[in-house]
Amino acid sequence: MLKNLDWRILFNLEVLNFHAMKNEELQAIASQLKHPLGEKGIEMGNMMNETNINMTKHSIQNLNISKENRILELGHGNAGHVEFLFEQAEKLKYYGLEMSELMFQEARQINRNFVSQKQAFFSLYDGNTIPFEDGLFDKIFTVNTIYFWQRPEELLLEIYRVLKPNGNLCLTFAEEDFMKTLPFTQFEFELYSNEKAQKLIEKTAFKIVYTETQIEKVKSKTGELVDRAFTTIVLEK
């Protein structure tokens, strides 16, 4: 039964053979990526933090964070990267929004020192409405969440609303051509290329100030290094 699988083995890309898995197993992976739950969700959060850390750091660096900035992240997972964010400048305030109760709790635990010092603030949200006032944030970023946006244009408008004038959004995601090679992305995922994302952005008042697609090496299911293309788009209000 799927519930008895050892997910630490399941997500070890050196031994996992995605193409031999049943649809229900692939769908379970997709669901955990979208909304981690239970013990398997904790392992998923750790795995996502590890495999996405380069993309996340790249996003943070592209925000050009300054002293006393107020920063919002959508879909932070276990937020193991928040310490890196606080290294970027002094007197920062970080706010994280997450749909997963489990990841909300994990993030608070991992960053308990920042929480107790009132530097980091974590909240749950529904993935559509951002529960903050207009023009509150200097910078906003999100990594590998766009695939799961229920109403993409509306969420971009919400992000625009809570950004300060001239504030920046950094949107980072793995390119569609790479994501299509992962069988579980046929479930739950809406894949994006750079071009598709830009067409979405054009429906809003955001201005694109920077876009870059780069290649990084990641381990394949056989343990070999393969190329993963990911795109970073920096927008300005």
Side-chain angles (χ1 to χ4, degrees), residues 152-153 156-157 160 199-207 235:
E153 186 176 347
L156 276 178
L157 292 173
Y160 189 90
K199 286 181 180 179
L200 170 63
I201 293 161
E202 288 170 1
K203 298 178 181 179
T204 74
F206 272 115
K207 296 176 289 185
L235 312 176

Side-chain angles (χ1 to χ4, degrees), residues 2 5 7 10-11 13 16-18 21-36 40 44 47-48 148 182-185 187-189:
L2 181 62
L5 285 176
W7 282 61
L10 183 63
F11 290 114
L13 298 182
L16 178 61
N17 185 348
F18 285 130
M21 299 178 73
K22 298 177 181 178
N23 278 351
E24 67 177 281
E25 295 171 323
L26 294 170
Q27 191 162 12
I29 295 174
S31 294
Q32 284 285 3
L33 285 165
K34 180 179 181 181
H35 199 119
K40 301 177 185 69
M44 174 61 79
M47 185 275 291
M48 286 192 293
F148 307 120
L182 307 175
F184 55 78
T185 61
F187 305 100
E188 309 272 1
F189 286 71

Side-chain angles (χ1 to χ4, degrees), residues 24-170:
E24 67 177 281
E25 295 171 323
L26 294 170
Q27 191 162 12
I29 295 174
S31 294
Q32 284 285 3
L33 285 165
K34 180 179 181 181
H35 199 119
L37 294 169
E39 290 185 13
K40 301 177 185 69
I42 293 174
E43 293 166 9
M44 174 61 79
N46 292 333
M47 185 275 291
M48 286 192 293
N49 183 69
E50 181 179 345
T51 58
N52 293 337
I53 193 63
N54 181 55
M55 295 173 69
T56 303
K57 288 183 175 181
H58 185 72
S59 298
I60 291 169
Q61 290 167 333
N62 272 283
L63 284 174
N64 295 316
I65 293 170
S66 301
K67 182 179 179 180
E68 298 182 350
N69 276 178
R70 188 179 283 120
I71 302 157
L72 173 66
E73 181 179 11
L74 305 182
H76 51 68
N78 71 11
H81 53 274
V82 169
E83 183 175 4
F84 175 80
L85 182 143
F86 280 117
E87 294 171 356
Q88 305 306 303
E90 297 179 350
K91 298 182 179 180
L92 302 177
K93 297 288 187 182
Y94 168 91
Y95 294 75
L97 287 180
E98 180 58 63
M99 295 175 63
S100 165
E101 170 79 27
L102 177 67
M103 291 297 99
F104 163 72
Q105 297 293 351
E106 282 288 290
R108 281 181 56 84
Q109 172 63 21
I110 290 171
N111 296 284
R112 56 192 177 277
N113 291 336
F114 295 124
V115 171
S116 66
Q117 294 165 14
K118 299 190 182 307
Q119 294 175 275
F121 306 86
F122 295 96
S123 305
L124 288 165
Y125 85 128
D126 63 5
N128 297 307
T129 302
I130 297 177
F132 293 110
E133 64 206 59
D134 295 359
L136 184 62
F137 299 102
D138 300 281
K139 312 284 185 180
I140 300 178
F141 73 106
T142 188
V143 178
N144 283 338
T145 69
I146 191 173
Y147 328 113
F148 307 120
W149 291 3
Q150 298 166 26
R151 299 193 288 272
E153 186 176 347
E154 291 180 25
L155 184 56
L156 276 178
L157 292 173
E158 273 288 274
I159 294 170
Y160 189 90
R161 177 183 66 79
V162 300
L163 262 178
K164 292 180 180 180
N166 302 313
N168 293 116
L169 164 66
C170 187

